[in-house]
């Protein structure tokens, strides 16, 4: 849809407004910092650093404070900026000198527009190092506003961008806090602070062989007690993969470490393994089993676990997965919550470390892990509440992701509106853009003719 | 005569009676205000004052006492309508006044048993003042009405006044005076710290304060609040004007400005109605004495406050975060302010202290200076009272003691002799203008709540932080959305306000 230009604007081509400056100089001797592609942040117009020119061999393009720099290489990265210092830029940049008929940063935001970025990307050539040429740009249509309005447009863009950035940053903080909230919910659950205790619950001691007053890492509410996994659950290792285990007449599905992610299963690819007599009963998984990864040496993989809900039956598991089958005193969901609580994760890490510096668990180590056991009815209440809160956190995370995506679209919309004159007001007392045209023509001509003696006019 | 606690108890008791009839705190205070004024005006006509009547006969307190039942209610409405037409203090109190008490029996009880039983003019200013303020505070807590945006926490006001140190003879302006909190605190400060001769007392009572408030109802509460605290008098013309401060310069300059401009509507997602309803926030004020033209109300108030100051006048203004970091007009205003004024102190306020939720605010202190080529700001001292501070309106409200360290660090006796501390750092002018967009949004302390520490706070604390950040994000995006929607006309026209030509 073509919109008519706002009052005071003229339609022109980019090549009629600016010309690249190709003043090549020795980076080392020119003076001023060196800007390489790596110093411009994609999509943000920010300069993140500079390089010491003395370390640069070869030539670059000279620029002055206020010039607009545009990266020709990989234009989809949308690297454009206006430095506030003089220096030398890599030859991968096109340098547009500042001109009096364009407001500061007007050209930069123009090149920053998503449709201009897409245009440049479409025109770029070269598979490994796609580049766009100035000649492709020169014909790009530009609606040129009056100079005073250009300044208002830039101000409006910067006002809105700074607010969008602030909003996006707040969303990032929310995302981080959602993750912490997740951990805090689990921690509250296993310390008795998520749901109230009910004095009429049958205390946990009811179900355990020895109701001994074992101590633990933190104080427990009434009715709870500490117990080791071996008192609460059956712990069993898995089947070691050997040549004799190649699937044959008696093959069964088995779970590998790769199938167990953090708190979820990936059953996209399941393998088969050969079992011998008596083994099926011993290794068969039941719904409610907790599968714990033994470890592969690195700290952050320790204690990785997931709950088995009986997705595939019959199914067995390999030896690097430890199977924990809760008895009557422990509900599987609560075990899953407890296992993932921050204090437990820390305890497991401590137990898993060894003198060699590697981290592994074993069935013996798992058996000895201390669990804070609430009364079974309280466990059910905890499970429900954890499930509820985690679903809220999940929903919130999805909303945040969506909002972040929309924030990016908001920036695109801002630019779109800005350059069709719908962001900043028109003012009929502005000198119309047309008045700039003659000035532009003479100025560009003067530039070319003065540039000629110094360098060959190169395209 | 009642003492403070029993009076407050009486007033609140009547309030609950009327709440059952559907009256909000706001409605109640409004009606109290009308009746109080009539009673006070009546007391002035009798001994020992014996002044000429302020209120026309037949519309006065006595005419209320003479009636009962439906006749009372009808007459009350008549009084409200008539008195609202007048000028001066009478006008401010009664402009667009409406009766909200449907039951005439309850109205009569209010008249005869509550208001009629006391001698308000003779009552200690502290007693009646505190009682009224107490009602205003309760009103502010009722967040649904949005009344909270007119009520700055008193602990904050006291701290600001304690560092600004008003003096006898000074004229103090608040261009967004709300319920008059700054005036009360300044009045109190001067009365407590200086021995005043009769002229100074007169000045303090009648000439020291000049306020503007755009909302009729809030202006009347402010007027009554001042009257009850012994500032001004019912028969003397008011110092509160009902007007939009941003429209134009008032024509006089002040030695001190203390203000907390409104932060905009709580429902930040307001749809600009198709073909109708342009929100006030959309208005862009075009003033020659402003540095930048913008629709950001708080930026405009900042510019306006600077124009209100006399040369070497001093200001303390509460501003939201976006005034400190916003690009475009915001950057222009900050650069100009840093150059033309001495912007010397910035207090970053914690969240959870204002009645409007999710507000991230600051207090900016600056002095206006004569024109100069050399920038006036040399050093900006920033006090971070936000990082790792947790306040809530109910469980952990802000008290004056919480700000005591700030007052001490500010060192009002000599603000050029300050020391850095964990929460108090100084930046130079060069540091500030070198920052991207000259943003004053500076933090250096580590936010413990974002650390991945072994000691996690309980989930509800994290949830509260999440809500805060979501509200901040929402506020920013809503403003942007509103800006984009407001400029939706193809011809780019929108509301430009220029000062009215004379």
């Amino acid at each position: 849809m073509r919109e008519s230009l706002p009052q005071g604007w003229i339609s022109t081509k980019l090549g009629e407004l600016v010309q690249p400056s190709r003043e090549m100089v020795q980076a080392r001797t020119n003076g001023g910092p060196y800007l390489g592609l790596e110093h411009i942040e994609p999509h943000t117009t920010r300069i993140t650093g500079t390089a010491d020119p003395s370390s640069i061999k070869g030539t670059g393009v000279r620029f002055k404070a206020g010039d607009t720099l545009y990266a020709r290489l990989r234009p989809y990265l949308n690297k454009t900026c206006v430095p506030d210092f003089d220096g030398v830029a890599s030859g991968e940049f096109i340098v547009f000198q500042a001109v009096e008929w364009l407001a500061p940063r007007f050209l930069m935001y123009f090149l920053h527009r998503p449709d201009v970025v897409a245009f440049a990307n479409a025109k770029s050539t070269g598979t490994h190092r796609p580049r766009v040429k100035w000649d492709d740009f020169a014909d790009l249509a530009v609606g040129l506003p009056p100079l005073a309005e250009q300044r208002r447009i830039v101000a409006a863009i910067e006002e809105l961008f700074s607010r969008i950035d602030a909003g996006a940053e707040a969303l990032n903080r929310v995302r981080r806090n959602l993750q912490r909230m997740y951990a805090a919910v689990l921690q509250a659950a296993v310390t008795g602070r998520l749901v109230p205790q009910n004095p009429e619950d049958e205390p946990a001691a009811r179900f355990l062989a020895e109701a001994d007053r074992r101590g633990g890492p933190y104080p427990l509410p009434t009715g709870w007690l500490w117990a080791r996994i071996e008192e609460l659950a059956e712990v069993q290792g898995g089947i070691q993969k050997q040549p004799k285990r190649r699937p044959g007449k008696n093959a069964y599905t088995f779970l590998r470490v790769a199938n167990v992610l953090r708190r979820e299963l990936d059953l996209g690819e399941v393998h088969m393994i050969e079992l011998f007599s008596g083994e099926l009963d011993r290794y068969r998984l039941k719904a409610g089993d907790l599968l714990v990864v033994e470890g592969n040496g690195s700290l952050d993989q320790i204690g990785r676990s997931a709950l088995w809900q009986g997705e595939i039956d019959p199914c067995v598991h390999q030896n690097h997965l430890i199977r924990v089958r809760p008895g009557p005193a422990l509900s599987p969901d609560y075990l899953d919550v407890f296992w993932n609580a921050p204090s437990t994760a820390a305890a497991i890490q401590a137990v898993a470390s060894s003198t060699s510096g590697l981290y592994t668990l074993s069935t013996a180590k798992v058996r000895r892990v201390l669990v804070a056991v609430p009364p079974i009815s309280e466990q059910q209440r905890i499970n429900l509440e954890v499930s509820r809160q985690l679903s809220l956190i999940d929903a919130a995370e999805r909303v945040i992701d969506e909002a972040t995506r929309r924030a990016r679209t908001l920036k695109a919309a801002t630019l779109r509106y800005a350059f069709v004159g719908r962001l900043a007001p028109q003012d009929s007392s502005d000198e119309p853009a047309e008045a700039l045209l003659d000035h532009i023509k003479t100025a560009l001509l003067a530039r070319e003719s003065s540039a000629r003696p110094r360098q060959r006019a190169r395209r | 005569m009642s003492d403070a606690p029993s009076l407050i108890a009486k007033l609140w008791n009547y309030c609950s009676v009327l709440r059952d009839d559907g009256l909000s705190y706001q409605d109640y205070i409004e009606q109290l205000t009308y009746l109080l004024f009539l009673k006070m005006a009546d007391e002035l006509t009798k001994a020992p004052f014996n002044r000429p009547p302020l209120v026309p006969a037949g519309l006065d307190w006595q005419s209320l006492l003479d009636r009962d039942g439906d006749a009372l209610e009808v007459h009350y409405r008549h009084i409200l309508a008539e008195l609202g037409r007048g000028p001066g203090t009478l006008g401010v109190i009664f402009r667009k006044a409406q009766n909200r008490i449907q039951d005439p029996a309850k109205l009569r009880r209010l008249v005869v048993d509550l208001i009629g039983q006391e001698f308000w003019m003779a009552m200690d200013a502290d007693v009646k003042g505190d009682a009224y303020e107490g009602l205003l505070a309760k009103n502010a807590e009722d967040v649904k009405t949005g009344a909270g945006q007119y009520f700055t926490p008193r602990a904050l006001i006291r701290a600001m006044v304690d560092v600004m140190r008003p003096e006898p003879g000074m004229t103090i302006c608040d261009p967004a005076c709300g319920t008059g909190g700054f005036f009360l605190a300044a009045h109190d400060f001067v009365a407590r710290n200086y021995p005043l001769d009769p002229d100074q007392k007169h000045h303090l009572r009648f000439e020291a304060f000049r306020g503007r408030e755009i909302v009729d109802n809030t202006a009347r509460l402010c007027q009554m609040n001042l009257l009850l605290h012994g500032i001004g008098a019912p028969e003397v013309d008011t110092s509160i004007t009902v007007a939009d401060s941003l429209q134009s310069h008032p024509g006089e300059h002040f030695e001190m400005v203390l203000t907390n401009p409104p932060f905009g509507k709580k429902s930040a997602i307001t749809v600009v109605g198709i073909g109708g309803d342009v929100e006030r926030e959309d208005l862009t004020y075009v003033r020659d004495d402003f540095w930048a033209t913008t629709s950001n109300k708080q930026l405009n108030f900042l510019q306006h406050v600077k124009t209100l100051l006399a040369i070497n006048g001093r200001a303390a203004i509460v501003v939201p975060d976006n005034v400190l970091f916003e690009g475009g007009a915001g950057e222009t205003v900050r650069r100009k302010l840093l150059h033309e004024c001495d912007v010397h102190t910035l207090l970053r306020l914690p969240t959870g202290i204002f009645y409007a939720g999710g507000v991230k605010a600051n207090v900016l202190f600056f002095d206006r200076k004569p024109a100069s080529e050399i920038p006036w700001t040399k050093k900006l001292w920033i006090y971070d009272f936000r990082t790792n501070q947790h306040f809530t309106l109910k469980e952990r409200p802000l008290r004056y003691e919480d700000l005591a360290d700030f007052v001490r660090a500010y060192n009002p006796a000599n603000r050029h002799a300050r020391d850095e501390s964990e929460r108090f750092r100084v930046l130079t002018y060069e540091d500030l203008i070198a920052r991207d967009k000259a943003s004053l949004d500076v933090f250096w302390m580590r936010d413990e709540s974002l650390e991945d520490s072994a000691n996690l706070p309980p989930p509800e604390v994290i949830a509260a932080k999440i809500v805060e950040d979501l509200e901040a994000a929402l506020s920013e995006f809503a403003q942007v959305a509103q800006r984009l929607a407001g400029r939706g006309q193809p011809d780019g026209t929108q509301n430009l306000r220029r000062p009215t030509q004379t």
Side-chain angles (χ1 to χ4, degrees):
Chain A
M1 182 190 78
R2 215 161 15 130
E3 294 183 41
S4 55
L5 282 179
Q7 186 207 350
W9 292 43
I10 46 160
S11 183
T12 176
K13 297 206 168 98
L14 191 59
E16 286 170 18
L17 293 175
V18 285
Q19 287 291 318
S21 132
R22 298 296 299 170
E23 215 185 315
M24 305 296 287
V25 291
Q26 283 290 331
R28 226 181 305 187
T29 54
N30 182 67
Y34 180 82
L35 276 180
L37 287 173
E38 64 273 24
H39 298 124
I40 316 298
E41 199 172 60
H43 304 297
T44 62
T45 73
R46 281 203 328 141
I47 299 174
T48 55
T50 57
D52 180 5
S54 57
S55 62
I56 308 294
K57 299 191 183 56
T59 56
V61 189
R62 187 151 165 259
F63 66 85
K64 286 191 133 52
D67 288 351
T68 305
L69 269 56
Y70 180 81
R72 298 184 298 132
L73 179 65
R74 299 188 220 286
Y76 54 84
L77 288 177
N78 194 3
K79 291 187 177 188
T80 172
C81 65
V82 175
D84 57 1
F85 50 89
D86 299 347
V88 180
S90 137
E92 297 286 9
F93 284 102
I94 303 178
V95 173
F96 298 104
Q97 283 175 347
V99 291
E100 317 84 83
W101 51 87
L102 289 181
R105 298 191 293 285
F106 182 83
L107 177 62
M108 179 186 85
Y109 285 115
F110 177 84
L111 296 169
H112 197 57
R113 288 164 51 172
D115 52 337
V116 172
V117 172
F119 172 86
N121 196 34
K123 292 278 188 182
S124 60
T125 52
T127 30
H128 293 297
R129 297 173 70 82
R131 284 188 185 84
V132 66
K133 299 200 300 290
W134 162 244
D135 287 348
D136 297 321
F137 270 118
D139 276 342
L140 196 56
V142 181
L144 185 70
L147 190 57
E149 188 174 340
Q150 291 179 34
R151 292 195 197 102
R152 292 198 295 275
I153 288 174
V154 170
I157 291 172
E158 297 196 324
E159 173 197 329
L160 294 188
F161 273 25
S162 62
R163 302 201 87 146
I164 295 170
D165 283 341
E169 215 186 281
L171 289 181
N172 270 338
R173 286 198 297 273
V174 171
R175 204 180 273 111
R176 283 167 68 182
N177 269 329
L178 283 173
Q179 284 166 354
R180 301 178 78 237
M181 173 109 177
Y182 173 91
V185 166
L186 294 179
Q187 192 60 26
V190 305
T191 50
R193 272 174 269 186
L194 191 67
V195 300
Q197 280 71 57
N198 184 347
E200 292 174 24
D201 286 338
E202 295 217 56
R206 164 98 168 68
F207 288 97
L208 295 174
E210 306 153 21
D212 58 321
R213 308 293 139 232
R214 194 193 296 282
Y218 51 82
L220 294 178
T222 338
W224 291 45
L225 48 68
W226 287 105
R228 297 204 187 277
I229 290 268
E230 60 197 348
E231 300 175 74
L232 301 162
E234 190 192 279
V235 179
Q236 172 72 50
I239 303 170
Q240 190 178 18
K241 266 179 79 174
Q242 295 163 317
K244 69 176 184 181
R245 295 284 183 189
R246 251 201 305 270
K249 292 235 181 67
N250 211 29
Y252 289 89
T253 319
F254 84 110
L255 278 197
R256 300 162 296 121
V257 169
N259 297 120
V260 177
L261 307 175
R262 221 165 250 298
R263 306 204 80 222
E264 65 178 296
L265 298 161
D266 178 2
L267 302 176
E269 198 186 305
V270 277
H271 297 174
M272 306 287 283
I273 201 169
E274 185 74 2
L275 291 185
F276 303 104
S277 75
E279 285 183 334
L280 181 60
D281 278 335
R282 194 155 156 234
Y283 295 106
R284 188 174 185 166
L285 291 174
K286 258 180 27 188
D289 286 343
L290 185 72
L291 291 159
V292 178
V293 170
E294 209 174 61
N296 59 0
S298 68
L299 185 59
D300 59 321
Q301 290 303 303
I302 278 301
R304 192 171 103 216
S305 67
L307 209 53
W308 181 252
Q309 312 277 26
E311 287 86 342
I312 305 171
D313 192 48
C315 187
V316 296
H317 60 106
Q318 76 169 120
N319 57 337
H320 295 304
L321 287 178
I322 300 172
R323 184 254 290 156
V324 181
R325 180 167 297 164
L330 195 60
S331 90
D333 284 319
Y334 177 77
L335 176 61
D336 185 42
V337 165
F338 185 82
W339 196 263
N340 287 285
S343 53
T344 315
I348 290 170
Q349 278 180 3
V351 146
S353 68
S354 66
T355 46
S356 64
L358 292 175
Y359 294 90
T360 48
L361 287 176
S362 62
T363 52
K365 286 181 182 174
V366 170
R367 284 196 184 98
R368 294 193 59 72
V369 169
L370 274 174
V371 180
V373 188
I376 199 77
S377 353
E378 189 172 339
Q379 288 182 35
Q380 314 292 11
R381 293 201 300 280
I382 290 174
N383 295 339
L384 281 174
E385 184 58 16
V386 167
S387 174
R388 189 185 76 88
Q389 295 221 13
L390 294 193
S391 68
L392 291 177
I393 293 174
D394 269 340
E397 275 176 344
R398 279 197 296 276
V399 168
I400 298 303
D401 287 340
E402 178 66 28
T404 310
R405 269 196 296 278
R406 282 173 197 242
R408 264 181 243 135
T409 324
L410 203 48
K411 277 197 166 178
T414 304
L415 285 176
R416 203 166 8 107
Y417 267 44
F419 285 96
V420 295
R422 283 165 69 168
L423 190 65
Q426 279 77 57
D427 187 344
S428 47
S429 62
D430 286 342
E431 188 187 54
E434 218 172 24
L436 298 170
L437 279 183
D438 298 323
H439 182 53
I440 295 171
K441 284 205 174 72
T442 29
L444 279 180
L445 271 172
R447 242 172 250 262
E448 268 198 40
S449 57
S450 72
R452 219 168 275 139
R454 259 216 303 243
Q455 49 149 69
R456 311 242 324 243
R458 257 204 281 166
R459 287 292 186 84
Chain B
M1 180 129 46
S2 302
D3 65 351
S6 60
L7 179 62
I8 293 176
K10 260 180 95 175
L11 286 175
W12 285 8
N13 279 336
Y14 273 92
C15 188
S16 359
V17 167
L18 287 168
R19 267 171 90 76
D20 293 336
D21 269 9
L23 255 72
S24 64
Y25 282 118
Q26 175 126 328
D27 295 334
Y28 178 62
I29 300 174
E30 216 184 299
Q31 304 302 315
L32 265 191
T33 304
Y34 306 140
L35 295 171
L36 269 175
F37 190 87
L38 291 172
K39 177 67 164 66
M40 280 159 55
D42 184 66
E43 289 174 22
L44 283 174
T45 61
K46 306 195 168 90
F49 307 100
N50 297 318
R51 306 267 172 80
L54 184 54
V55 180
L59 294 176
D60 57 9
W61 180 254
Q62 193 57 47
S63 69
L64 276 178
L65 286 178
D66 292 339
R67 285 171 174 77
D68 206 337
D70 283 328
L72 169 61
E73 201 260 330
V74 168
H75 185 65
Y76 179 52
R77 275 192 283 120
H78 177 62
I79 292 179
L80 297 183
E82 284 303 311
L83 293 182
R85 298 187 215 280
T89 306
L90 213 54
V92 172
I93 296 279
F94 289 98
R95 175 95 55 242
K96 300 198 185 127
Q98 298 231 314
N99 175 31
R100 306 254 181 240
I101 307 174
Q102 310 295 357
D103 180 359
K106 295 207 172 85
L107 177 58
R108 179 132 178 100
R109 273 180 68 190
L110 209 54
V111 168
V112 172
D113 296 339
L114 182 59
I115 308 293
Q117 291 299 320
E118 310 289 341
F119 289 100
W120 298 89
M121 291 311 293
M123 192 188 298
D124 209 0
D126 283 342
V127 173
K128 57 197 187 202
D130 282 354
Y132 196 74
E133 275 259 297
L135 284 176
L136 289 177
K138 268 231 130 1
N139 187 27
E141 287 169 28
D142 192 4
V143 284
K144 285 187 294 296
T145 64
Q149 64 177 308
Y150 305 117
F151 196 86
T152 307
R154 291 331 193 207
L156 176 61
I157 290 182
R158 263 191 66 197
M160 285 169 67
V161 166
D162 279 353
V163 301
M164 288 293 277
R165 297 196 163 182
E167 291 161 29
M170 264 187 181
T171 319
I172 299 171
C173 177
D174 184 348
C177 59
T179 50
F182 282 109
F183 294 148
L184 296 182
H187 179 274
D188 193 51
F189 183 90
V190 173
R192 259 188 308 115
N193 288 295
Y194 294 90
L196 299 173
D197 64 41
D199 283 335
Q200 288 174 321
K201 282 193 183 154
H202 186 272
H203 181 273
L204 186 62
R205 185 169 176 199
F206 292 106
E207 288 158 38
F209 306 110
R210 204 83 88 243
R212 275 200 183 191
E213 173 49 50
I214 200 171
V215 178
D216 285 303
N217 199 43
T218 313
R220 86 172 102 254
L221 300 183
C222 179
Q223 183 66 81
M224 182 50 73
N225 204 12
L226 294 183
L227 284 175
L228 291 176
H229 281 88
I231 301 175
E235 70 276 25
V236 173
D237 244 4
T238 176
S239 51
I240 308 298
T241 315
V242 179
D244 179 359
S245 285
L246 296 177
Q247 258 286 64
S248 59
H249 195 274
E252 50 175 326
H253 294 93
F254 303 92
E255 292 165 273
M256 186 172 291
V257 172
L258 300 167
T259 185
N260 177 9
F263 283 11
K265 296 223 171 85
K266 187 178 196 266
S267 55
I269 317 173
T270 29
V271 176
V272 178
I274 303 165
D277 216 79
V278 176
E279 297 294 339
R280 273 221 163 74
E281 280 81 2
D282 262 348
L283 298 178
T284 303
Y285 299 86
V286 181
R287 278 174 52 173
D288 293 330
D289 53 352
F290 275 9
W291 296 306
T293 303
T294 170
S295 61
N296 181 325
K297 183 154 60 166
Q298 291 79 36
L299 269 181
N300 283 329
F301 261 103
L302 180 56
Q303 300 188 83
H304 179 69
V305 164
K306 180 250 169 187
T307 66
L308 288 175
L309 289 171
I311 302 294
N312 296 317
R314 299 182 289 127
I317 173 174
V318 181
V319 290
D321 274 8
N322 70 67
V323 165
L324 303 182
F325 69 71
E326 197 174 290
E331 183 180 350
T332 307
V333 168
R334 283 191 297 278
R335 289 189 188 274
K336 288 284 191 183
L337 190 72
L338 289 170
H339 185 110
E340 296 183 21
C341 299
D342 181 4
V343 185
H344 52 85
T345 316
L346 173 65
L347 171 61
R348 316 290 326 250
L349 292 169
T351 50
I353 65 171
F354 287 98
Y355 294 103
V359 167
K360 294 197 179 201
N362 315 267
V363 187
L364 196 59
F365 297 85
F366 63 93
D367 302 349
R368 183 173 184 181
K369 293 299 191 187
S372 157
E373 294 222 333
I374 307 170
W376 278 102
T377 304
K378 306 281 185 261
K379 291 183 181 176
L380 175 66
W381 286 82
I382 305 183
Y383 192 96
D384 180 352
F385 192 49
R386 185 180 304 173
T387 309
N388 303 328
Q389 291 288 341
H390 307 293
F391 291 98
T392 63
L393 288 175
K394 294 249 157 65
E395 285 93 31
R396 178 76 183 90
L398 179 73
R399 302 153 311 169
Y400 180 80
E401 297 72 53
D402 297 312
L403 288 163
D405 187 63
F406 164 70
V407 174
R408 182 203 54 76
Y410 185 109
N411 200 13
N414 179 9
R415 66 170 178 81
H416 297 285
R418 290 172 170 173
D419 296 314
E420 284 197 313
S421 73
E422 194 200 1
R423 289 195 177 271
F424 202 31
R425 290 264 177 104
V426 64
L427 276 81
T428 64
Y429 175 76
E430 290 72 29
D431 292 334
L432 295 171
I433 55 164
R435 287 170 56 81
D436 184 32
K437 301 189 177 54
S439 161
L440 304 182
D441 187 17
V442 175
F443 287 109
W444 58 89
M445 289 176 67
R446 274 194 0 207
D447 186 345
E448 281 161 13
S449 73
L450 290 177
E451 298 284 296
D452 289 321
S453 62
N455 305 314
L456 277 174
E460 51 273 18
V461 170
I462 303 181
K465 286 275 172 204
I466 287 174
V467 168
E468 258 172 39
D469 281 326
L470 280 177
E471 282 177 330
L474 179 64
S475 165
E476 297 304 329
F477 292 133
Q479 296 279 352
V480 172
Q482 202 174 54
R483 267 286 254 127
L484 290 175
R487 310 264 189 234
Q489 287 83 19
D491 60 358
T493 55
Q494 29 97 70
N495 291 286
L496 285 178
R497 275 280 180 89
R498 291 179 192 273
T500 42
Q501 314 285 10
T502 37

